[in-house]
Amino acid sequence: MIKNFVSLDFETSSGKNPCSIGIVEFKEGKVIDKYYSLIKPKDLNFNPFTSRIHGISMLDVIEEREFDEVWKDISHFFDNKTIVAHNWSFDIA
């Protein structure tokens, strides 16, 4: 069983545009760090269906940072780590 890994999940505004990210880091099976941030999508286009699912709207993210700015805070989570993600094939795109 993997005991050291980083788990992540994105929520998207429409298609492949992230509007939030959540990250949890585990060591020896215990949570050692957490991170969550809203993200301002570059196009600010929100699909009403996805907004109903996750509850995030354009008004929630309009003053937030775009992903490239958020990356500066989170890149360390991915250095030489095992990554586990919900629906990875969608999120990686």
Side-chain angles (χ1 to χ4, degrees):
M1 176 186 347
I2 300 171
K3 292 185 177 184
N4 301 324
F5 62 96
V6 173
S7 178
L8 73 108
D9 190 31
F10 284 101
E11 298 299 341
T12 61
S13 61
S14 64
K16 310 286 190 219
N17 300 303
C19 62
S20 76
I21 187 170
I23 301 170
V24 180
E25 184 172 3
F26 294 83
K27 187 169 185 176
E28 296 302 315
K30 297 185 189 309
V31 174
I32 63 165
D33 202 357
K34 295 180 186 181
Y35 180 90
Y36 176 81
S37 181
L38 291 170
I39 300 169
K40 180 181 177 181
K42 290 192 183 282
D43 68 1
L44 285 177
N45 180 27
F46 274 76
N47 179 314
F49 176 75
T50 57
S51 286
R52 281 193 302 273
I53 290 172
H54 53 55
I56 302 169
S57 72
M58 183 177 65
L59 293 176
D60 296 318
V61 300
I62 195 74
E63 299 294 326
E64 299 294 332
R65 300 174 298 158
E66 291 184 359
F67 184 78
D68 57 342
E69 297 172 77
V70 172
W71 180 251
K72 296 171 189 172
D73 291 342
I74 64 173
S75 61
H76 71 279
F77 280 106
F78 306 101
D79 293 335
N80 299 313
K81 308 270 177 62
T82 299
I83 309 299
V84 176
H86 175 262
N87 203 9
W88 179 254
S89 62
F90 180 81
D91 289 343
I92 194 67

